[in-house]
């Protein structure tokens, strides 16, 4: 459910701290997986792995796939140019120019697609120039643009790719490092030429037509029932003992929609791998023992969740309140992050006060402490929040139990500026006893954690004498309202991929996803700190790794101080499997569940 | 009767048009609908969709990147599973509900009547979804698959044979149990009330006064008349059946047309939703029409002109 914030989810692939490295490995044929990558050592071939999908896949097209079930399947059918943690995949070696505007990728030779046809530079050229950069293809192409232009991708020979950008652009390199799959030109060229790519490789496509370089290929899809994947016989990795990967013969993915039934199936040993809810951990540990559940800590997650106050809200008085940095600081202190984490996730989340890892995971920076204080007890301080509101003059002037947006507050110089932006004066507003501090928090109906968060937050704010109520709506409605600005306070979830450019659209004043203050795009009342943020994001596109890290650290500090949003927490991903049954599991939070499925093997064969 | 059928069919078409337009408009007006990128008006989009329907195409699923609606809604054997489930559940629910209602009415206020009423009240109070989850838990506790799907894993890829047929039937059983548990109380209570009402009618008193035996009075005169309102009930009972089969299919991992329609709703997949609503609306109206015709056939007093 939470994962379906598709319009705010930008990309979900961790990059790894690789920016700045020069060489990713050596050309070898076949490629031998380093022993340290196989945490349980070389495995034995054979057997199958069953894990349930929570919904039907919507497409088998890896460029279009956003929904988790679709990605869970496509991630096994295709191989990226670069892998996570610096593991080479399709690229054996690369060089880059001294001025950082060009790269030469040396592709691994002798690789075959799952239909036995060879992989060459023509497939890379096709993927970038005919698909990803194609204006008619529904791909996330804007992140590739530098100064309005796409990078130039060209083939030097069958196995050498040259990529040049119009300007210094670290972001292009970061994009290359993300999960960028390569498509088979010989299968899709005609489809793309006909303009049919956006409807190709749908769920009714015959499995033999789905061709990729990944460790598995689709054997059968029974709509609404199950996806059955089998080993790709042409896969190119081997282990230290020379055994061709993947180890597993099959991956079986039945579609089981109900959360509780998926847990029962795991407890009944009908599935071997599960992504349980926090509340499911207890029954699983009781049945299989403590070692059965692996929790991936936030160090590998790239999500940010919280509440956003609409600084362009229609009501002029409320707009003035929401534009007050002090007010937002008070709101930040009123967020009971620990309570939300405890109730919504049974402790399986970590408090955050900034975009943190979603932003700078690739750069190796740390999240900023909340309120500039490292003491966890200081995160939540209702008395301090009340003090700030009192100091601002947001007091209950009519004694009805709700604070008012008083004349004292509206006469403050910074508030006057907010009113002036709407050509409104104090005389145009209702009397102060009729200006109550009253707003609704839009949240997602049906999401336990999101409604819990809104309830807890609203309860705290009510204790501060603010008239606040949660307003649960359909997820698609929430996203649409955030984007159209028709909200007062809204819930947000977004997932980065570790590169600042991916979430720049949210924080840069001219960004299309700058949903918390769209008027910044017109250059109206852009505060100095926001102008500095714009500069930092512009500079980081072309900086070195160290420079980008420093600039993004500065951005984090500005975000913590000025609170454009109330960041709450990052969620831990939990995986359950029996360690005596499954070997070499290495899930990466936020990704399709079977990362490195080629390494997995059955210990119980 | 012919003129009546023609008139009813015309009304049905009109109602289907209105219902499909409303369904289409409601989905399109939702923020975040996957069709909202289309700049044309809702009327124009509906006209486009209707034009496709008249040419034999139900359109394409925007949430599934252009996959035909027929594949999304009916594909992969969903229509046959829906049909088998609905027809079997119909005969079982009515086959159990009517005799129990009859039995309870004829033993009014006796312990067996109280027991049937108690059980039916209990069953009515349980939503189908809860029954399904409870059954899944029971199956798990008995060491069986809590969500069987359509076939066991070992039979899924085999061609049809006797063993696969038996396996498929066994997988259908939990769904039937859920649907029947949810449906029998309403039928039983309706049957009981209708028969009790009929037994108090003057013509039954007259039959008794004529000296007819109790068996002949109950089964020949009273029961026939008590069944007439139930025939009318069948048409309206279909949406109720839809709710139960949806809950059963969702929990038991059994892909049916109703489940496919349900999946399209959160995605605001307008073509699929409109087609699904027209399909189920059509079934409901045809069911009602057939029920009316059956009632005219069963009850000589009913005439449609």
């Amino acid at each position: 459910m939470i994962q379906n914030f598709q319009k705010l989810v930008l990309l979900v692939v961790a990059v790894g701290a690789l920016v700045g490295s020069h060489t990713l490995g050596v050309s070898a044929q076949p490629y031998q997986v380093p022993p340290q990558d196989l945490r349980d050592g070389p495995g034995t071939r054979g057997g199958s792995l069953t894990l349930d999908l929570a919904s039907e896949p919507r497409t088998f097209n890896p460029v279009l796939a956003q929904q988790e079930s679709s990605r869970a399947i496509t991630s096994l059918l295709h191989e990226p140019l670069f892998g996570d943690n610096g593991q080479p995949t399709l690229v054996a070696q690369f060089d880059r120019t001294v001025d950082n505007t060009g790269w030469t990728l040396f592709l691994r030779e002798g690789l075959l697609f799952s239909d036995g046809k060879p992989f060459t530079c023509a497939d890379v050229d096709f993927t970038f120039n005919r698909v990803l950069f194609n204006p008619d293809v529904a791909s996330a192409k804007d992140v590739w643009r530098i100064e309005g232009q796409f990078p130039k991708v060209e083939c030097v020979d069958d196995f050498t790719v040259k990529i040049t950008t119009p300007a210094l652009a670290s972001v292009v390199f970061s994009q290359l490092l993300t999960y960028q799959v390569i498509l088979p030109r010989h299968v899709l060229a005609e489809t793309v030429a006909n303009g049919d790519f956006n409807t190709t490789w749908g769920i009714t496509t015959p499995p033999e037509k789905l061709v990729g370089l990944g460790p598995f290929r689709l054997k059968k899809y029974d709509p609404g029932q199950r996806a059955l994947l089998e080993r790709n016989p042409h896969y190119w990795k081997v282990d230290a003992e020379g055994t061709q990967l993947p180890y597993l013969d099959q991956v079986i993915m039945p579609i089981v929609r109900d959360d509780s039934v998926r847990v029962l199936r795991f407890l009944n040993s009908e599935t071997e791998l599960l992504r349980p809810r926090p509340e499911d951990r207890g029954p699983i540990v009781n049945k299989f023992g403590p070692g059965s559940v692996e929790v991936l800590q936030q160090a590998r997650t790239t999500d940010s969740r919280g509440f956003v106050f609409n600084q362009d809200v229609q009501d002029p008085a409320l707009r003035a309140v929401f534009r007050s940095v002090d007010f937002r600081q008070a709101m930040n202190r009123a967020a009971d992050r620990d309570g939300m984490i405890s109730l919504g996730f049974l402790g399986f989340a970590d408090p955050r006060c900034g975009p943190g890892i979603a932003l700078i995971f690739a750069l190796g920076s740390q999240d900023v402490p909340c309120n500039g204080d490292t003491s966890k007890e200081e995160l939540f301080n209702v008395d301090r929040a009340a003090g700030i509101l009192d100091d601002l003059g947001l007091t209950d002037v009519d004694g009805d139990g709700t604070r008012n947006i008083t004349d004292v507050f509206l006469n403050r110089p910074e508030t006057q500026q907010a009113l002036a932006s709407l050509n409104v004066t104090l005389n145009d507003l209702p009397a102060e006893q009729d200006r109550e501090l009253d707003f609704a928090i839009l949240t997602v109906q049906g999401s336990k954690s999101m409604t819990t968060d809104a309830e807890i937050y609203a309860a705290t704010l009510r204790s501060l004498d603010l008239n606040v109520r949660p307003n649960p709506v359909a997820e698609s409605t929430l996203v649409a309202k955030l984007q159209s600005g028709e909200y007062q306070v809204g819930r947000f979830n977004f997932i980065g991929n570790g590169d600042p450019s991916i979430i720049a659209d949210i924080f840069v004043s001219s960004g299309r996803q700058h949903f918390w203050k769209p008027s910044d795009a017109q250059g109206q009342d852009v505060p100095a700190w926001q102008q500095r943020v714009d500069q930092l994001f512009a500079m980081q596109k072309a900086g070195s790794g160290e420079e980008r890290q420093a600039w993004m650290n500065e951005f984090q500090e500005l975000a913590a101080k000025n609170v454009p949003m109330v960041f709450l927490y990052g969620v831990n991903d939990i995986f359950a499997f029996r360690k005596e049954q499954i070997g070499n599991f290495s899930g990466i939070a936020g990704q399709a569940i079977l990362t490195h499925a080629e390494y997995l093997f059955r210990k119980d064969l | 009767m012919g003129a009546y059928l023609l008139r009813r069919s015309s009304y049905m078409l009109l109602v289907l048009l209105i219902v499909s337009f409303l369904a289409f408009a409601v989905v399109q007006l939702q923020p975040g609908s996957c069709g909202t990128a289309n700049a044309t008006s809702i009327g124009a989009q509906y006209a486009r969709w209707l034009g496709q329907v008249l040419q034999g195409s139900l359109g394409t699923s925007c949430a599934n990147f252009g996959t035909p609606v027929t594949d999304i809604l009916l594909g992969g054997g969903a229509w046959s599973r829906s049909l088998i489930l609905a027809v079997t559940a119909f005969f079982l629910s009515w086959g159990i509900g009517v005799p129990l209602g009859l039995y309870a009415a004829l033993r009014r206020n006796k312990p067996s009547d109280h027991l049937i009423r108690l059980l039916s009240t209990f069953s009515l109070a349980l939503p189908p979804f809860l029954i399904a989850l409870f059954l899944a838990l029971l199956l798990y506790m008995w060491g069986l698959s809590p969500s069987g799907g359509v076939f066991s894993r070992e039979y899924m890829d085999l061609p049809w044979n006797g063993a696969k047929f038996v396996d498929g039937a066994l997988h259908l059983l939990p769904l039937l149990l859920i649907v029947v548990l949810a449906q029998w109380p309403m039928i039983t209570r309706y049957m009981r009330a209708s028969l009790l009402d009929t037994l108090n009618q003057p013509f039954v008193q007259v039959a008794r006064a004529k000296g007819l035996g109790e068996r002949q009075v109950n089964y020949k005169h009273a029961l026939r008349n008590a069944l007439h309102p139930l025939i009318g009930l069948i048409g309206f009972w279909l949406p109720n059946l839809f709710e139960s089969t949806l809950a059963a299919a969702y929990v038991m991992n059994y892909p049916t047309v109703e489940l496919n329609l349900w999946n399209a709703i959160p995605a605001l997949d307008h073509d699929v939703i409109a087609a699904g609503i027209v399909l189920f609306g059509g079934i409901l109206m045809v069911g009602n029409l057939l029920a009316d015709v059956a009632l005219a056939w069963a009850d000589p007093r009913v005439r449609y002109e």
Side-chain angles (χ1 to χ4, degrees):
Chain A
M1 179 76 188
I2 293 170
Q3 283 82 355
N4 284 332
F5 253 84
Q6 288 178 1
K7 296 196 177 169
L8 294 179
V9 171
L10 304 171
L11 272 172
V12 196
V13 184
V15 175
L18 287 170
V19 178
S21 87
H22 253 274
T23 302
L24 283 180
V26 293
S27 181
Q29 187 56 239
Y31 172 71
Q32 195 176 77
V33 177
Q36 65 269 22
D37 289 346
L38 302 175
R39 60 194 263 188
D40 296 324
T44 44
R45 276 180 67 156
S48 65
L49 177 81
T50 305
L51 72 156
D52 291 334
L53 297 177
S55 62
E56 285 89 342
R58 295 204 179 278
T59 179
F60 295 135
N61 187 324
V63 175
L64 307 176
Q66 288 284 324
Q67 170 231 23
E68 189 166 302
S69 294
S70 302
R71 289 181 48 249
I73 295 171
T74 58
S75 65
L76 301 184
L77 307 181
H78 300 278
E79 193 78 7
L81 266 180
F82 291 88
D84 58 281
N85 294 330
Q87 292 177 20
T89 51
L90 305 181
V91 174
Q93 284 185 307
F94 73 91
D95 285 323
R96 63 179 169 189
T97 57
V98 177
D99 65 355
N100 218 11
T101 60
W103 295 271
T104 304
L105 311 182
F106 301 100
L107 303 177
R108 197 170 298 280
E109 295 184 28
L111 306 194
L112 300 175
F113 282 100
S114 55
D115 62 353
K117 298 283 173 20
F119 159 69
T120 67
C121 181
D123 299 299
V124 178
D125 172 70
F126 170 76
T127 301
F128 282 95
N129 293 318
R130 297 281 175 270
V131 179
L132 291 178
F133 301 160
N134 185 339
D136 297 327
V137 168
S139 64
K141 58 177 77 64
D142 285 347
V143 290
W144 291 95
R145 287 186 208 268
I146 302 296
E147 296 181 353
Q149 292 178 45
F150 291 120
K152 192 172 173 187
V153 179
E154 55 194 336
C155 290
V156 176
D157 58 39
D158 272 357
F159 297 101
T160 309
V161 188
K162 194 175 173 194
I163 300 176
T164 46
T165 56
L168 193 67
S170 301
V171 61
V172 171
F173 186 64
S174 293
Q175 275 304 115
L176 281 174
L177 288 174
T178 62
Y179 194 84
Q180 190 55 66
V181 300
I182 297 302
L183 302 169
R185 179 175 175 271
H186 64 281
V187 176
L188 293 171
E190 195 180 333
T191 306
V192 172
N194 293 338
D196 296 332
F197 185 79
N198 290 338
T199 57
T200 201
W201 282 0
I203 57 169
T204 53
T205 307
E208 64 274 12
K209 292 193 175 175
L210 301 171
V211 174
L213 290 159
F216 291 91
R217 58 187 186 185
L218 189 68
K219 184 179 181 186
K220 196 179 178 202
Y221 174 61
D222 296 303
Q225 295 183 61
R226 174 199 71 163
L228 177 63
L229 295 96
E230 63 180 359
R231 172 192 287 124
N232 173 5
H234 303 293
Y235 197 62
W236 48 280
K237 286 183 188 172
V238 297
D239 66 13
E241 294 172 358
T243 305
Q244 189 196 10
L245 303 182
Y247 291 118
L248 295 168
D249 287 337
Q250 290 186 327
V251 175
I252 305 164
M253 296 176 160
I255 297 158
V256 178
R257 295 155 193 85
D258 189 78
D259 295 337
S260 304
V261 174
R262 284 199 300 279
V263 178
L264 289 176
R265 281 167 55 82
F266 181 74
L267 294 172
N268 212 25
S269 299
E270 290 182 68
T271 57
E272 287 91 32
L273 194 58
L274 177 75
R275 208 172 191 170
R277 298 165 296 184
E279 60 266 36
D280 301 326
R281 190 177 180 274
I284 292 170
V285 171
N286 284 343
K287 171 120 187 186
F288 298 122
S292 60
V293 179
E294 176 144 317
V295 180
L296 293 183
Q297 295 297 332
Q298 64 129 5
R300 304 301 305 273
T301 63
T302 57
D303 59 324
S304 278
R305 300 151 197 257
F307 295 112
V308 57
F309 288 76
N310 183 1
Q311 295 182 43
D312 280 347
V313 69
Q314 283 292 316
D315 180 342
L318 200 57
R319 178 186 289 206
V321 173
F322 288 176
R323 285 193 180 188
S324 160
V325 175
D326 290 333
F327 173 79
R328 296 198 301 272
Q329 280 286 7
M331 296 300 97
N332 202 24
R333 289 184 180 276
D336 182 5
R337 293 170 175 83
D338 288 343
M340 294 173 191
I341 290 168
S342 174
L343 269 177
F345 296 92
L346 301 181
F348 288 96
D350 299 288
R352 280 196 189 149
C353 286
I357 290 159
L359 181 71
I360 49 168
F361 175 51
L363 307 179
S365 293
Q366 296 299 310
D367 205 352
V368 290
C370 293
N371 300 325
D373 193 328
T374 52
S375 161
K376 207 173 174 185
E377 286 70 33
E378 291 296 316
L379 296 183
F380 176 50
N381 192 332
V382 180
D383 292 339
R384 180 75 191 99
I388 294 173
L389 294 177
D390 291 341
D391 293 345
L392 281 171
L394 294 167
T395 52
D396 179 12
V397 293
D398 52 4
D400 66 352
T402 302
R403 290 175 188 264
N404 296 82
I405 306 172
T406 60
D407 291 347
V408 172
F409 173 76
L410 292 175
N411 278 319
R412 292 165 65 94
E414 65 271 25
T415 313
Q416 287 287 315
Q417 193 186 8
L419 290 181
S421 70
L422 283 173
N423 293 324
V424 170
T425 66
L426 199 53
N427 295 332
D428 300 323
L429 299 175
E432 66 179 355
Q433 62 268 27
D434 296 327
R435 294 193 304 257
E436 302 214 307
L437 202 36
D438 174 313
F439 52 86
I441 302 174
L442 278 185
T443 184
V444 174
Q445 193 169 36
S447 163
K448 184 188 157 202
S449 63
M450 285 197 259
T451 47
T452 302
D453 292 347
E455 293 284 358
I456 291 175
Y457 197 37
T460 311
L461 296 182
R462 281 196 294 270
S463 75
L464 285 168
D465 295 335
L466 307 186
N467 191 10
V468 179
R469 66 221 158 264
N471 179 14
V473 294
E475 184 184 301
S476 55
T477 304
L478 172 63
V479 173
K481 282 186 177 291
L482 287 181
Q483 290 182 329
S484 64
E486 299 169 50
Y487 71 100
Q488 293 170 321
V489 179
R491 169 69 189 219
F492 71 86
N493 288 1
F494 62 79
I495 303 174
N497 77 338
D499 191 280
S501 301
I502 300 299
I503 55 172
D505 245 9
I506 296 171
F507 293 104
V508 170
S509 61
S510 58
R512 287 173 308 170
Q513 304 276 7
H514 195 67
F515 51 87
W516 46 280
K517 196 173 173 225
S519 64
D520 278 348
Q522 282 92 50
Q524 297 169 3
D525 309 318
V526 182
W529 72 269
Q530 175 67 65
Q531 291 174 31
R532 177 60 182 160
V533 168
D534 293 353
Q535 283 175 352
L536 293 170
F537 271 94
M539 290 191 298
Q540 64 79 29
K541 274 191 165 188
S544 68
E546 296 75 20
E547 287 170 328
R548 299 178 86 202
Q549 180 177 335
W551 291 330
M552 287 301 102
N553 280 346
E554 185 183 342
F555 161 66
Q556 289 252 66
E557 284 164 18
L558 286 170
K561 191 174 171 188
N562 294 283
V563 199
M565 302 164 187
V566 176
F567 294 94
L568 296 175
Y569 49 75
V571 179
N572 301 159
D573 267 1
I574 311 171
F575 294 98
F577 62 96
R578 291 159 68 185
K579 287 183 179 168
E580 74 276 13
Q581 196 175 47
I582 302 296
N584 288 340
F585 177 79
S586 62
I588 291 184
Q591 285 212 41
I593 191 168
L594 280 186
T595 310
H596 293 306
E598 69 270 26
Y599 298 168
L600 296 175
F601 71 98
R602 295 292 299 242
K603 291 180 176 174
D604 53 354
L605 281 180
Chain B
M1 182 62 116
Y4 170 76
L5 286 177
L6 194 64
R7 200 165 62 244
R8 278 289 296 267
S9 302
S10 312
Y11 289 158
M12 276 168 49
L13 272 178
L14 185 66
V15 170
L16 277 181
L17 276 175
I18 295 169
V19 165
S20 62
F21 177 74
L22 286 176
F24 204 85
V26 164
V27 174
Q28 287 283 24
L29 287 171
Q30 292 287 321
S33 162
C34 58
T36 48
N38 198 330
T40 54
S41 69
I42 291 172
Q45 289 182 56
Y46 178 71
R48 172 197 60 82
W49 179 78
L50 197 61
Q52 284 178 345
V53 172
L54 293 175
Q55 290 170 36
S57 164
L58 291 174
T60 55
S61 159
C62 56
N64 289 277
F65 301 94
T67 305
V69 167
T70 40
D71 289 343
I72 297 296
L73 209 53
L74 310 173
W79 71 269
S80 56
R81 281 189 291 274
S82 275
L83 190 67
I84 290 168
L85 180 59
V87 170
T88 319
F90 172 84
F91 283 111
L92 279 174
S93 303
W94 287 77
I96 292 169
V98 169
L100 278 177
L102 177 69
Y103 186 81
L106 295 178
R107 284 157 184 76
R108 187 181 185 187
N109 291 331
K110 291 185 176 164
S112 52
D113 178 33
H114 288 305
L115 181 66
I116 288 170
R117 284 163 61 195
L118 184 73
L119 287 176
S120 67
T121 305
F122 182 70
S123 265
L124 266 182
L126 287 174
F129 198 79
L130 200 62
I131 298 176
L133 282 176
F134 186 64
L135 187 65
L137 186 64
L138 275 182
L139 289 171
Y140 162 72
M141 288 164 68
W142 293 335
L144 300 168
S145 174
S147 72
V150 181
F151 295 106
S152 302
R153 186 188 290 190
E154 59 269 31
Y155 288 106
M156 281 196 82
D157 300 313
L158 292 180
W160 276 103
N161 57 32
K164 184 171 181 173
F165 178 82
V166 171
D167 183 69
L170 287 173
H171 280 75
L172 187 62
L173 267 182
L175 287 100
L176 288 172
L177 190 59
I178 295 162
V179 178
V180 171
L181 274 174
Q183 297 301 318
W184 78 269
M186 186 183 72
I187 299 164
T188 294
R189 293 170 79 89
Y190 211 92
M191 180 71 232
R192 179 181 177 277
S194 178
L195 186 57
L196 285 176
D197 186 49
T198 309
L199 286 171
N200 287 327
Q201 296 288 319
F203 75 89
V204 176
Q205 307 297 332
V206 171
R208 285 205 178 97
K210 277 167 63 181
L212 292 177
E214 198 61 20
R215 196 176 181 80
Q216 208 173 2
V217 169
N218 288 341
Y219 292 104
K220 191 176 175 189
H221 294 277
L223 179 60
R224 276 184 63 178
N225 284 281
L227 280 173
H228 294 160
L230 267 80
I231 294 172
L233 178 71
I234 292 173
F236 295 104
W237 172 79
L238 288 170
N240 212 297
L241 177 70
F242 175 89
E243 184 194 347
S244 308
T245 53
L246 173 62
Y250 186 92
V251 174
M252 289 294 149
N253 191 27
Y254 201 84
T256 58
V257 181
E258 39 282 48
L259 188 57
N260 292 339
L261 173 57
W262 178 257
N263 289 335
I265 293 171
L268 299 177
D269 198 347
H270 46 80
D271 279 17
V272 178
I273 296 171
I277 286 178
V278 167
L279 177 69
F280 285 104
I283 291 171
L284 175 65
M285 280 186 266
V286 169
N288 272 301
L289 179 63
L290 292 179
D292 287 347
V293 171
L295 188 57
W297 173 76
D299 188 345
R301 293 168 302 179
V302 178
R303 285 288 174 267
Y304 296 114
E305 297 300 340

